[in-house]
Amino acid sequence: MIRNINILLADDDVEDRFIISDAFDTIGLADCIQFVEDGEKVLSYLDTIGEPVPLPNLVILDLNMPKLNGTQTLKLLKEDQRYNNIPVIIFSTSLNELEMQECMHLGANSYVIKPVTFDECIDTARRFYNFCEGTYQFPTIE
Amino acid sequence: MQPIVKVTLENERGLILAHKKSMQLVQLSGMSLAVQTSFASAVSEIARDCITTGQGAYMNLGVQIRNKEKYLSAAIHDRNPSFINASAGVACARRLVDELDIQYSDQGKITRLLLKIPTHLQFSKARIAEWKNYLDQEIPLSPYQENSSKDEQLKELAEKLRESESRYKLLTDTLPLMIFTTDPAGKITYYNKYAKEYFGTTLDQLNESLWTYHIHPEDVAPDTPTIWFNNVVKLQPNQGEFRLRNKQGALIWHQLVSVPLDDTQHFSRVGFCVEIEAHKRMEQALSDNRELRETKQELERYQLELEQKIEELNRSNFELSQFAYVASHDLQEPLRKIIYYSNFLQQKYVGLIDEQGTRAFSNMFSAAQRMKQLIHDLLSLSRIRKEDNFTTATDLNQIFQEALQDLEMTIREKGAQVSMSSLPVISANPVQMRQLFGNIISNAIKYCAPDTQPVIAVHANNGGNGHVMLYIRDNGIGFEEKYLEKMFSLFQRLHTRDKYEGTGIGLTICKKIVELHKGNITATSTPGIGSTFIITLPVN
């Protein structure tokens, strides 16, 4: 089965990468997701790919990352004409109102709190996929 | 010396002549009767000694010029030098003239009396010659004549004395100050009109009540016997400041100066009192002013210190809230992993773990969940900060609906029934309002007896003074009102966790939100019947 969904997730926490990877694996969508360690790697990854490899359908950014953090990366992506159409979801441990407002203002599609339980992780992975398919919309937080 | 007349001093007649000629000479020179009498008396004192004890004594009256000063001179020659000791007569004479000196020699002694002639009295040599002619004339003398002439002189002197006295009295009575004289015991013997009117008492009354009534007791040392003089230096002038009570009873500051009278009545005094009330008031005003200035400076210093303290406090508060935020955020990270892994193991390896192990996993999971809730609540509390507190027109009806939506699951689970009357629109922070109402409704549902359907009613009324009052009434288990204060404090809980879950932070958050909005939150309750939370918030 050929899948044309490609998600890029940036998180400096190896365990978090493993958890999400495991969740995608559990639902049989392991090849739909790629991982990088920080914001800088997001940009360099995007810069190295090109035709015929398509741009990711979704970029998921952790907030607290070394070098380029989530907010900075989001800003750079939205300022770049090549990438500003890629949907971006912020993926954070806790809800910080101010950061969330800033991210939404910068053009993030949603702000998702990292899941806690195993089941929630699987749900979240499925929602990311469904979001790319256009079958799920994350609730917009004001 | 330029001699004018010589008088032989051998008998009583000589004494009379000496007195007479001396009087006349002074009179001729133009000086007053008092001076004439003084000089003549002085001459008489010396002459009497010579007549009694001397040998071949005589007197030369004349004029002497020394250092451009003119003097009338009486030189009394006595051939008997043996009488050396100064007699009472000499002492007496010395007081009456300007100068008295005695020269001793082989020929005897010469006693010289000098009387200074005031510079304004000019006279020539011709005048002196005239005096000589006049005085050389033989003076007819009879005891009767002599007596009556003395009487005349005495009368004249008494008249002058009366005049002088009345002049002084007039002077002392018109001066705007008190003048006293006292006897050696400090008893007032005279006071002027001003003093009399000031005290409004007779001398006797004043002497009696001066200490007990007219002087403020604070102004004299307890052991001071008198204000007239200082016990140690009785001969020195003395002064002091006293409040003296006048006849109307008012105390007025006076300065008193008293001076010992240099006469035979030892330590009699003359004194005066000047009112210095204005001076004292001015002094007081200046001192008050200085104190005021100092107090003001002190206040300003305190103010500055206070501002510094506030600044420090604000900084420390800010650091604390930053700490709370960072700490709780970073604490969540590993906690999330613990929850995830325990859940992961429970899910994936359930077949490999026995019943006991499963229970342990389950307990670990719920403990971790509680910690997550605790951190979440602490984080919420730390985020409620004045600096981030923007306000906007907030429709409380909408906010309540949102809070109910947040609690939708719980409401459905417990079958809670929530009713609401119309709520106002106020200026507030909508996120915080939602949190506030959410916490209270969540509590109302949570603290409900197990088999009871939670019934919650919300209504509002005008609290007056630009405030709105919100009432959230429930039919929960309630609480004893003595725990009211404790209930709103951080980490304070009224129930054990196995009965009712909670972190003890929810109501603290509510209180903080309400206080940030300059409002007030309280509650009333009857245990077993229900509670009503009452929130007062300013409309603007």
Side-chain angles (χ1 to χ4, degrees):
Chain A
M1 187 179 174
I2 300 161
R3 303 187 188 280
N4 52 2
I5 296 298
N6 183 19
I7 297 168
L8 179 66
L9 189 147
D11 197 327
D12 60 317
D13 189 321
V14 65
E15 287 182 83
D16 274 342
R17 292 203 302 270
F18 166 76
I19 288 168
I20 295 300
S21 171
D22 196 51
F24 272 90
D25 198 29
T26 307
I27 55 175
L29 297 170
D31 54 346
C32 289
I33 187 155
Q34 307 276 333
F35 295 94
V36 290
E37 291 147 39
D38 57 55
E40 238 179 47
K41 294 264 169 59
V42 171
L43 294 173
S44 58
Y45 173 86
L46 291 177
D47 286 345
T48 53
I49 61 166
E51 299 295 336
V53 183
L55 289 172
N57 303 83
L58 170 67
V59 171
I60 301 166
L61 298 171
D62 180 28
L63 273 180
N64 296 324
M65 291 186 293
K67 294 176 186 170
L68 274 184
N69 69 23
T71 319
Q72 290 165 327
T73 312
L74 170 67
K75 193 161 183 279
L76 288 172
L77 288 176
K78 292 301 171 189
E79 280 170 359
D80 196 320
Q81 285 194 344
R82 290 171 297 167
Y83 311 132
N84 63 5
N85 283 327
I86 307 172
V88 178
I89 285 174
I90 300 297
F91 197 45
S92 177
T93 307
S94 62
L95 176 67
N96 182 324
E97 292 277 344
L98 288 178
E99 273 183 326
M100 186 192 76
Q101 276 162 13
E102 192 188 355
C103 291
M104 300 312 279
H105 181 72
L106 284 172
N109 288 59
S110 189
Y111 188 104
V112 175
I113 307 297
K114 287 181 180 174
V116 177
T117 65
F118 180 73
D119 290 341
E120 282 170 6
C121 287
I122 289 168
D123 280 352
T124 305
R126 202 184 302 281
R127 282 172 187 166
F128 284 147
Y129 180 81
N130 291 343
F131 176 81
C132 295
E133 289 269 80
T135 57
Y136 179 79
Q137 282 298 316
F138 283 97
T140 44
I141 312 163
E142 86 274 8
Chain B
M1 182 178 89
Q2 190 182 346
I4 293 173
V5 68
K6 182 178 175 181
V7 180
T8 311
L9 300 169
E10 283 177 339
N11 50 32
E12 288 299 318
R13 193 170 175 274
L15 181 60
I16 293 166
L17 264 177
H19 186 270
K20 189 103 191 166
K21 302 266 181 200
S22 302
M23 283 285 284
Q24 280 174 343
L25 179 60
V26 180
Q27 189 186 13
L28 287 168
S29 73
M31 286 187 265
S32 74
L33 180 62
V35 182
Q36 294 165 32
T37 314
S38 296
F39 189 67
S41 299
V43 168
S44 296
E45 292 287 344
I46 306 299
R48 189 182 299 114
D49 281 349
C50 294
I51 289 164
T52 336
T53 61
Q55 289 176 8
Y58 65 94
M59 174 181 76
N60 269 329
L61 282 172
V63 174
Q64 187 176 340
I65 299 169
R66 195 179 64 191
N67 296 336
K68 291 184 180 168
E69 303 266 27
K70 292 195 182 80
Y71 296 87
L72 289 181
S73 165
I76 297 149
H77 299 251
D78 182 357
R79 293 218 183 80
N80 178 10
S82 64
F83 192 77
I84 288 174
N85 290 336
S87 69
V90 173
C92 189
R94 200 184 287 281
R95 281 212 298 272
L96 296 171
V97 293
D98 291 323
E99 261 184 68
L100 184 149
D101 69 81
I102 306 172
Q103 286 173 14
Y104 297 94
S105 68
D106 298 343
Q107 280 84 42
K109 69 175 176 189
I110 306 171
T111 307
R112 207 180 301 275
L113 307 170
L114 290 178
L115 178 68
K116 198 170 156 189
I117 302 166
T119 44
H120 67 272
L121 297 173
Q122 298 293 330
F123 50 88
S124 57
K125 281 187 179 172
R127 286 286 306 275
I128 294 174
E130 275 176 28
W131 295 354
K132 190 170 159 58
N133 285 337
Y134 182 79
L135 291 172
D136 274 346
Q137 286 168 19
E138 193 68 20
I139 302 163
L141 275 173
S142 74
Y144 173 74
Q145 268 180 325
E146 190 61 26
N147 263 350
S148 65
S149 120
K150 288 271 184 221
D151 274 356
E152 282 300 312
Q153 284 170 15
L154 275 174
K155 266 188 226 160
E156 204 179 326
L157 273 175
E159 187 56 40
K160 294 252 176 196
L161 201 62
R162 256 199 307 281
E163 237 173 64
S164 159
E165 234 188 50
S166 83
R167 214 170 22 241
Y168 279 116
K169 191 166 179 303
L170 185 72
L171 186 67
T172 64
D173 281 349
T174 47
L175 280 176
L177 46 81
M178 297 181 204
I179 295 175
F180 302 87
T181 58
T182 74
D183 69 8
K187 193 176 164 210
I188 302 165
T189 50
Y190 164 80
Y191 63 174
N192 69 346
K193 196 174 154 202
Y194 185 91
K196 184 179 181 174
E197 282 173 2
Y198 183 86
F199 292 118
T201 57
T202 66
L203 258 189
D204 287 346
Q205 284 171 338
L206 184 60
N207 273 318
E208 216 162 88
S209 60
L210 181 66
W211 289 98
T212 51
Y213 179 72
H214 288 292
I215 298 176
H216 196 291
E218 280 175 19
D219 300 336
V220 278
D223 54 345
T224 312
T226 165
I227 58 170
W228 309 119
F229 51 81
N230 171 331
N231 248 359
V232 184
V233 277
K234 284 191 176 178
L235 285 173
Q236 297 296 310
N238 191 39
Q239 62 174 351
E241 291 174 355
F242 306 92
R243 272 165 288 177
L244 299 179
R245 200 183 297 279
N246 65 14
K247 64 181 167 195
Q248 284 88 18
L251 285 160
I252 296 171
W253 278 103
H254 280 79
Q255 184 175 45
L256 179 142
V257 176
S258 86
V259 189
L261 279 173
D262 188 17
D263 65 7
T264 49
Q265 308 169 37
H266 300 293
F267 314 137
S268 290
R269 295 208 151 222
V270 59
F272 65 87
C273 272
V274 189
E275 191 197 305
I276 53 164
E277 184 71 17
H279 171 81
K280 276 280 175 186
R281 290 208 178 164
M282 175 101 153
E283 216 171 53
Q284 186 62 40
L286 283 175
S287 141
D288 286 353
N289 220 351
R290 193 175 54 242
E291 274 171 34
L292 210 66
R293 209 166 43 240
E294 281 167 4
T295 311
K296 189 169 161 255
Q297 281 170 353
E298 208 165 312
L299 270 178
E300 280 168 353
R301 202 164 52 243
Y302 284 152
Q303 172 83 16
L304 201 70
E305 275 175 28
L306 204 66
E307 277 167 16
Q308 283 170 350
K309 284 271 187 318
I310 288 171
E311 201 177 307
E312 271 171 40
L313 209 63
N314 279 341
R315 194 168 50 240
S316 137
N317 247 345
F318 178 73
E319 279 165 9
L320 210 65
S321 68
Q322 283 295 100
F323 170 79
Y325 173 69
V326 171
S328 42
H329 181 90
D330 289 355
L331 281 172
Q332 281 195 82
E333 272 303 328
L335 184 64
R336 219 183 70 241
K337 308 287 166 50
I338 294 169
I339 294 171
Y340 174 80
Y341 290 126
S342 63
N343 186 235
F344 178 85
L345 289 168
Q346 253 183 329
Q347 297 277 325
K348 283 205 158 184
Y349 299 88
V350 68
L352 300 176
I353 308 167
D354 66 7
E355 200 186 323
Q356 214 180 348
T358 311
R359 199 165 55 241
F361 269 122
S362 172
N363 286 347
M364 183 171 89
F365 183 72
S366 66
Q369 287 283 13
R370 279 204 304 280
M371 182 146 177
K372 182 170 172 283
Q373 189 61 42
L374 197 60
I375 291 170
H376 174 268
D377 288 355
L378 267 182
L379 205 56
S380 304
L381 183 64
S382 78
R383 277 188 190 133
I384 303 163
R385 291 195 305 152
K386 205 175 176 180
E387 299 89 272
D388 307 332
N389 193 38
F390 71 93
T391 57
T392 179
T394 304
D395 181 355
L396 294 183
N397 295 297
Q398 191 192 329
I399 296 292
F400 248 105
Q401 289 305 333
E402 286 171 4
L404 292 180
Q405 274 164 30
D406 294 342
L407 294 164
E408 200 186 346
M409 286 256 289
T410 327
I411 291 172
R412 205 179 311 132
E413 258 172 41
K414 298 271 180 120
Q417 186 195 320
V418 185
S419 65
M420 190 180 88
S421 65
S422 172
L423 302 181
V425 176
I426 65 166
S427 170
N429 181 306
V431 177
Q432 288 178 3
M433 285 297 117
R434 187 165 159 179
Q435 203 173 358
L436 170 67
F437 298 148
N439 278 349
I440 292 174
I441 294 168
S442 154
N443 276 352
I445 297 169
K446 192 200 292 180
Y447 295 104
C448 195
D451 48 3
T452 308
Q453 181 197 21
V455 178
I456 299 157
V458 181
H459 78 277
N461 68 22
N462 186 347
N465 221 355
H467 283 72
V468 60
M469 291 181 84
L470 304 167
Y471 301 85
I472 301 143
R473 197 180 70 233
D474 65 43
N475 61 340
I477 54 171
F479 60 91
E480 287 184 59
E481 286 182 358
K482 63 178 175 181
Y483 296 123
L484 186 65
E485 202 177 324
K486 191 183 163 104
M487 208 166 68
F488 285 102
S489 308
L490 191 60
F491 297 132
Q492 298 298 323
R493 308 195 61 238
L494 301 182
H495 306 279
T496 56
R497 190 164 38 246
D498 54 333
K499 275 193 178 164
Y500 297 98
E501 280 184 4
T503 56
I505 300 175
L507 281 179
T508 309
I509 290 176
C510 292
K511 188 165 186 248
K512 201 168 170 187
I513 289 172
V514 171
E515 280 173 359
L516 268 185
H517 283 78
K518 298 184 168 54
N520 183 46
I521 182 167
T522 185
T524 59
S525 182
T526 312
I529 304 291
S531 314
T532 303
F533 280 80
I534 303 151
I535 300 165
T536 312
L537 288 170
V539 175
N540 291 308

